[in-house]
Structures are given as structure tokens and as C-alpha cells.
Amino acid sequence: MKFETNRNITKKKPYRICFVCLGNICRSPTAEGIFQQKVRECNLDSFFYIDSAGTSAYHLGEKVNATSRKIAESHGVSLLSQARQFNSKDFYEFDLILAMDSSNYADIMKLKSGITNSKVEMMRSFDLDGLNEDVPDPYYGGINGFENVFTILERSSEELLKQLSAYIVNE
Ligand code: 4NP
């Protein structure tokens, strides 16, 4: 999709993105780590504020899932976040909230009712190879599930950064 936002992205007003899944221990922290790494590689750190959260409180305060960390490490990405629960204040803290699957999307929209701040989109609306599908939950799957999630998130993050870069203004 062609993503549109209503403002420029500047160092003074960085673009704030929150990646959201269910547990905040597999998919969304992986997305956060990959996107952060891409931004760093492009020297765009100061234009973005990046975080992640889970719609559930199942894993509050926990480190990222060990297999997710291992797969990410093997691609040169460190995942250091601790799980937190998404809440309605986040609509005022973030410009863009990216849901990993349609159930996360529905939970976010339930919380959002009446709040006009922030945009909510599916992460895979940025995937050129599987538009709007879910990022599959790897929690109960094998190692291939985790590798697949990494590949999907890397491809989607690449496109996300490409589209947002059009709004970056050096001033
Ligand atoms: P995530 O994966 O949403 O990608 O962090 C899950 C982690 C834990 C559970 C489900 C999904 N769980 O049911 O505990």
C-alpha cells in the first residue's frame, strides 16, 4: 500500500512507532529490533522513536523469547526489550501502531474507540509479498516458524522505512 502520513518527520519531531502483538515476547520485539537496526544502519536514529507492546499481560516484564533472540542474533539483531502491555495512553504516545495479526488489530481498535490520535495498520500492509496477512504466531511452532517470522518482518520493515523516508525532512 501507499502509506500516507499528515506530517513531515524531523529530528525535532521524530516519528513514533509501536509494534504490537499478543505476548510482546516474539513478534513485536523482533519487529522493533529489526526496524531499529535498519534505522541505525541508515543513520536515521534521531528521526524515529521505536517501541513494542503486547495486547495481553501474559508475559509482563519478561525478556524476549529465547528462540526469537537466537534467530535475531544470527542475523545480527539484538533483542533487549522487556514485555509490557499495550494501553490506551499509547494512542497519544505513538504516530503509528502496527498490529502483527488481525486479532491484535481488533484488540487495539476496541481500545481505540473514540480516540482519533495515531494510525493503526497491519504490519503486513507493508509486505510486498503477502499483503495484509497475519504475521503468524511462532509461539507454538518450531524453529522454522521463528525464522519465517524474521523473514516476513525484515521484508515488511524494509518497505516501512522506505515509505516513511519520503517524509523525512532535514531541518
Ligand atoms: P507473541 O507470541 O504474541 O509474538 O509475543 C506469543 C507469546 C505468548 C503467547 C502467545 C503468543 N501466549 O499465549 O502466552
Side-chain angles (χ1 to χ4, degrees):
M1 77 156 170
K2 176 87 176 73
F3 181 73
E4 290 186 5
T5 184
N6 57 1
R7 69 170 178 89
N8 288 334
I9 302 173
T10 65
K11 287 187 182 172
K12 243 190 231 152
K13 202 152 188 265
Y15 199 70
R16 301 157 302 166
I17 305 171
C18 188
F19 298 96
V20 179
C21 63
L22 178 62
N24 194 213
I25 55 166
C26 300
R27 293 165 294 174
S28 62
T30 302
E32 177 189 359
I34 292 172
F35 192 75
Q36 182 71 65
Q37 178 99 338
K38 286 199 185 297
V39 160
R40 206 176 293 131
E41 282 164 7
C42 297
N43 280 322
L44 294 172
D45 299 55
S46 31
F47 291 95
F48 292 96
Y49 173 73
I50 302 156
D51 194 11
S52 68
T55 54
S56 77
Y58 301 155
H59 295 275
L60 281 189
E62 284 180 32
K63 289 203 282 193
V64 179
N65 173 279
T67 313
S68 296
R69 273 188 281 139
K70 198 173 109 197
I71 299 288
E73 257 337 305
S74 76
H75 292 274
V77 177
S78 297
L79 305 181
L80 304 170
S81 65
Q82 274 191 317
R84 74 168 182 94
Q85 188 171 19
F86 185 80
N87 66 78
S88 54
K89 272 194 240 146
D90 287 316
F91 295 114
Y92 300 95
E93 301 293 330
F94 293 95
D95 297 292
L96 178 62
I97 293 158
L98 287 170
M100 295 298 126
D101 66 31
S102 49
S103 143
N104 307 146
Y105 184 89
D107 289 339
I108 294 165
M109 293 314 275
K110 245 183 265 161
L111 264 182
K112 194 174 193 286
S113 66
I115 302 174
T116 53
N117 287 49
S118 79
K119 268 180 175 255
V120 185
E121 303 285 353
M122 290 282 280
M123 181 66 178
R124 291 188 80 180
S125 62
F126 293 95
D127 188 355
L128 300 179
D129 187 6
L131 283 179
N132 283 325
E133 284 172 26
D134 290 345
V135 179
D137 185 347
Y139 193 61
Y140 300 105
I143 187 102
N144 288 341
F146 285 88
E147 192 72 57
N148 183 39
V149 163
F150 192 93
T151 306
I152 291 169
L153 292 176
E154 177 145 69
R155 203 167 55 222
S156 308
S157 294
E158 182 86 36
E159 180 64 17
L160 173 63
L161 183 55
K162 191 168 146 198
Q163 296 229 15
L164 288 175
S165 293
Y167 293 91
I168 290 180
V169 176
N170 255 305
E171 55 177 34

